[in-house]
Amino acid sequence: MIDVVAVGLICIGIGFFAAGSIGLLRLPDLHSRLHALTKADNLGLGLVALGIALVTGSLVIALKLILIWLLVLAASAASANLIARHALDRREQP
Amino acid sequence: MNALLWMLLDLLLAAMLLGLGWAAVATRDLKRGVALFIAFGLLLALAWARLRAPDLALAEAAIGAGIAGALLLAALRSEPQGGQPAAVPSRVFLLTLNLFSVLLAVTVAWALLSALAMGDSVRLAQPVTEHLSQSGVSNPVTAVLLNFRAYDTLLELAVILSAVLGVLALGPARPGYRLPGPVLYGLIRWLVPLLIVTGGYLLWVGAHAPGGAFQAGATLAAAAVLLRLGGVDGAGLPAAVVSRWLLAAGLLAFLAVGLLVTAFGYGFVQYPPDLAAGLILVIESAATLSIAVALALAYIGGWPSRRAQSGSLHTHTTEGGTH
Amino acid sequence: MLSAEIIYGLTGVGLFTLGLRATLLQASLLARILAINVCGAGVFLMFVSIAYQGLAQMQVPDPVPHALVLTGIVVAVSATALALALGRRLRESKDE
């Protein structure tokens, strides 16, 4: 039962990753692509991490996975902000 | 079925590695090439995990993708945008080069496949496993690095020191970065302590699980890179006098321990089995600090300016405000 | 059925050749350093594929090539740093 839930979570997570990648390739400009990358990919990562955390027997590994997800969340949010800010600054100076 | 799925995963990963490697070196735009190289490093870490080499996966992600990528990006900053115009190579040159490459690839592939086919050769894994209990640690890679082949690691620390001395001798540090905005400031405030704790954990856990001095040193160097990107020109490094000692500390500790045991009748870097664990920890701690300072100085490109070394993240932001 | 060591070993051969070819073709120093790093990654893959060979007989893969490649990764980064510093100095001395 746990295995089925875990596989389901991982598959949905992969779906979000795929959506993020398609967004990266198809969306028109930098800011919308950043949007797709940070939101969709991080949600996908969270679901995959949750799925794996359910399957591993140990609590320590599950906590480590959640910590990794939070770190990736923080880092990608900060990088997206920096990239978007830099692009905005550059656009104002033609 | 299981084996087939693993093989498909391996084929996919191998194809992506080749594709990324090709794209990284064949592109005209160097920024794109460096970004692809960082992604290549991360996929290579996955390949190490697949080949049952978790120590290598940690080291590749931290050093091969992280520090090397940061170094290349920092070097790209001062590279003029166009570079020099590429001289178009002649057709004959291209043809001979391609022919030579194909021949080389076929020869090396044939050598590799015959090496893989030799099943019954003498493997060093067996003696390592047999003597693992006497080495003082239970992680075989750490045992090989710091006990069985300690001499190689000693020389490696000397090589790192020489490379960093070269970098330091070649000129002043690269120009610094501007003051951070609130987002970067917050990120650095949270990440740097976490990186330091993770570095300490990796050093400690290297004795019985994947980890060790090199991964820990690279994590600490990553903290220094983050500080430097946040406008702290000293990158968290102590004053120059202390930094010089830290730089030499790994090599000195190794030599000191190696020579000390000779006074008790053992060979050079041949630790007594009951003291080996403690000696290895001492050497690894010194080596971690050495490697961290070395990689941080290599990233900065030289000694940070004297005025900058007294600053910290807080003084920089409260003095200058946000950008 | 291709086993993991053959797949990654041949990938290593491919990366080595690609990196070497790009080193000889590329114009700028930074691109050449990048190509040499890719070449080095290919060599490491070949090394560790041979280490994986022992898996059929033993539980653990051969740790000696792992240690060698770990040393190699760190030395490669140090050499890259030195090469980049040399390149920077070269560029500055040309501009003087």
Side-chain angles (χ1 to χ4, degrees):
Chain A
M1 179 56 196
I2 297 265
D3 286 352
V4 172
V5 171
V7 169
L9 281 174
I10 293 178
C11 287
I12 301 178
I14 293 179
F16 272 105
F17 263 115
S21 308
I22 296 177
L24 176 65
L25 292 171
R26 300 287 299 171
L27 286 173
D29 73 317
L30 178 78
H31 295 278
S32 45
R33 273 184 245 151
L34 276 177
H35 201 86
L37 273 182
T38 44
K39 300 231 169 36
D41 276 3
N42 286 325
L43 189 55
L45 181 67
L47 287 171
V48 168
L50 196 56
I52 301 178
L54 283 177
V55 171
T56 64
S58 120
L59 182 65
V60 176
I61 295 184
L63 286 177
K64 276 189 197 169
L65 284 169
I66 303 294
L67 180 63
I68 290 174
W69 179 57
L70 289 174
L71 281 174
V72 170
L73 220 55
S76 67
S79 336
N81 176 285
L82 290 170
I83 295 176
R85 178 66 65 93
H86 176 71
L88 207 60
D89 286 343
R90 247 192 344 184
R91 212 184 289 177
E92 283 171 359
Q93 308 154 20
Chain B
M1 184 58 191
N2 227 4
L4 187 66
L5 285 176
W6 281 120
M7 188 181 91
L8 281 177
L9 177 69
D10 287 337
L11 284 173
L12 194 61
L13 196 53
M16 283 201 288
L17 278 173
L18 281 170
L20 272 179
W22 168 245
V25 299
T27 171
R28 276 296 150 96
D29 182 9
L30 280 174
K31 277 206 191 98
R32 193 161 159 262
V34 173
L36 287 171
F37 176 72
I38 297 177
F40 170 78
L42 287 177
L43 280 184
L44 194 56
L46 277 183
W48 297 141
R50 190 60 199 100
L51 282 169
R52 298 192 50 166
D55 297 74
L56 288 179
L58 284 174
E60 179 69 43
I63 307 176
I67 301 284
L71 276 172
L72 289 166
L73 281 175
L76 212 53
R77 242 177 118 212
S78 44
E79 175 111 347
Q81 205 41 37
Q84 64 253 49
V88 178
S90 70
R91 288 202 55 159
V92 175
F93 177 69
L94 264 180
L95 199 60
T96 30
L97 186 62
N98 289 337
L99 198 61
F100 165 72
S101 305
V102 169
L103 277 177
L104 184 67
V106 167
T107 313
V108 177
W110 171 77
L112 182 77
L113 288 176
S114 29
L116 287 175
M118 289 195 303
D120 291 335
S121 51
V122 173
R123 313 289 309 184
L124 282 172
Q126 183 119 22
V128 168
T129 324
E130 280 165 15
H131 295 272
L132 197 56
S133 51
Q134 301 168 15
S135 67
V137 294
S138 48
N139 180 9
V141 176
T142 306
V144 170
L145 267 178
L146 281 152
N147 197 336
F148 301 138
R149 297 192 68 113
Y151 196 47
D152 294 344
T153 310
L154 174 69
L155 293 176
E156 174 194 359
L157 288 176
V159 166
I160 297 174
L161 183 61
S162 317
V164 173
L165 284 177
V167 172
L168 292 173
L170 275 170
R174 295 203 179 97
Y177 293 84
R178 62 181 173 179
L179 298 171
V183 174
L184 186 56
Y185 174 69
L187 185 72
I188 293 178
R189 261 192 66 187
W190 279 97
L191 275 188
V192 169
L194 193 59
L195 280 171
I196 295 177
V197 170
T198 308
Y201 168 70
L202 280 173
L203 171 65
W204 175 256
V205 91
H208 53 269
F214 297 105
Q215 293 89 339
T219 311
L220 292 176
V225 167
L226 259 184
L227 279 173
R228 176 117 176 131
L229 286 171
V232 181
D233 285 336
L237 292 173
V241 179
V242 182
S243 290
R244 279 179 218 269
W245 275 102
L246 284 179
L247 205 50
L251 192 59
L252 284 177
F254 223 133
L255 278 174
V257 170
L259 289 171
L260 194 64
V261 290
T262 58
F264 293 92
Y266 296 90
F268 182 55
V269 289
Q270 188 184 352
Y271 317 128
D274 43 335
L275 288 178
L279 290 175
I280 287 180
L281 189 59
V282 166
I283 294 176
E284 279 210 291
S285 313
T288 303
L289 292 172
S290 254
I291 293 168
V293 174
L295 290 176
L297 283 173
Y299 176 74
I300 298 175
W303 285 110
S305 64
R306 213 170 291 265
R307 180 186 50 85
Q309 279 179 312
S310 55
S312 75
L313 190 63
H314 296 276
T315 58
H316 276 73
T317 49
T318 50
E319 279 171 8
T322 62
H323 66 91
Chain C
M1 184 70 63
L2 289 171
S3 56
E5 67 252 21
I6 297 183
I7 296 177
Y8 289 113
L10 291 177
T11 310
V13 174
L15 285 172
F16 173 68
T17 315
L18 281 175
L20 196 59
R21 183 175 172 276
T23 314
L24 295 168
L25 270 183
Q26 283 278 4
S28 73
L29 184 64
L30 199 63
R32 283 190 173 147
I33 294 175
L34 198 55
I36 288 188
N37 274 335
V38 171
C39 189
V43 171
F44 297 149
L45 268 174
M46 284 194 270
F47 246 112
V48 179
S49 307
I50 298 184
Y52 191 77
Q53 178 191 350
L55 206 57
Q57 299 113 337
M58 312 209 57
Q59 292 290 4
V60 293
D62 192 352
V64 176
H66 287 190
L68 291 176
V69 170
L70 190 51
T71 306
I73 292 177
V74 182
V75 168
V77 166
S78 313
T80 301
L82 184 59
L84 289 172
L86 281 170
R88 194 173 125 230
R89 190 82 188 101
L90 204 65
R91 224 179 7 252
E92 284 168 8
S93 68
K94 261 193 221 158
D95 291 338
E96 280 164 10

